[in-house]
Amino acid sequence: MFIQIIGVGKLKEKYLVQGIAEYAKRLGPYVKFQIIEVPDEKAPDTLSFAEVGIVKDREGERILAHVKGDAHVIALTLDGKLWSSEELAAELDRLGTYGSSHVVFIIGGSHGLADAVLRRAQQKLCFGRMTLPHQLMRLVLTEQIYQAVKINRGEPYRL
């Protein structure tokens, strides 16, 4: 299975980079794993509704440029479905067996995801009603993918 995370913006915080690297290393024996960072759109802190749309559309174009046609896309968004770790594991297992062995998770920037990205997604996933910083979400998602792989293999989860 090939699992990608596409996220907007470059991670700068050392602790996040190290945490993601650790889980990516742990995933290595089980799946091909890749994180792609696309540049965020530079914009002032205060934007009109129309300007937010432009920012999301530009970031969306950058995201979609990395999504292959055969990929199964799961967008992380607040209006997505809530899954438990076991449900994520079951979905990855189902996709690997009966669907696409290429799964792409997409994490938007600070303004969210463009409509074009949401239309491309076959599924929407939410990690809860709280808004998490998109940089931190990469670490949380990477850890949950690792946990899903361990669940599917029937192996104990080790920190």
Side-chain angles (χ1 to χ4, degrees), residues 37-152:
E37 295 179 336
V38 299
D40 55 345
E41 186 67 20
K42 303 301 178 217
D45 288 339
T46 56
L47 298 172
S48 69
F49 183 76
E51 290 169 324
V52 167
I54 291 168
V55 167
K56 290 191 325 186
D57 288 345
R58 288 181 181 160
E59 291 173 348
E61 289 170 9
R62 293 179 190 133
I63 290 168
L64 292 173
H66 292 280
V67 177
K68 304 288 185 235
D70 65 339
H72 182 89
V73 176
I74 301 173
L76 274 66
T77 178
L78 288 173
D79 66 343
K81 289 186 178 181
L82 292 167
W83 289 344
S84 66
S85 297
E86 292 78 13
E87 289 170 319
L88 174 61
E91 186 59 18
L92 289 178
D93 187 54
R94 184 191 72 77
L95 287 168
T97 304
Y98 303 108
S100 171
S101 60
H102 181 187
V103 178
V104 177
F105 291 91
I106 298 178
I107 302 170
S110 57
H111 297 289
L113 291 168
D115 289 341
V117 174
L118 295 172
R119 282 191 303 272
R120 174 60 178 88
Q122 283 89 353
Q123 292 175 293
K124 294 183 204 174
L125 175 61
C126 179
F127 273 69
R129 295 185 330 194
M130 287 188 241
T131 302
L132 296 174
H134 55 280
Q135 298 94 341
L136 178 59
M137 195 62 234
R138 283 188 216 169
L139 174 59
V140 172
L141 177 58
T142 304
E143 184 277 335
Q144 283 296 296
I145 292 168
Y146 172 70
Q147 190 167 143
V149 167
K150 297 297 271 185
I151 290 168
N152 285 339

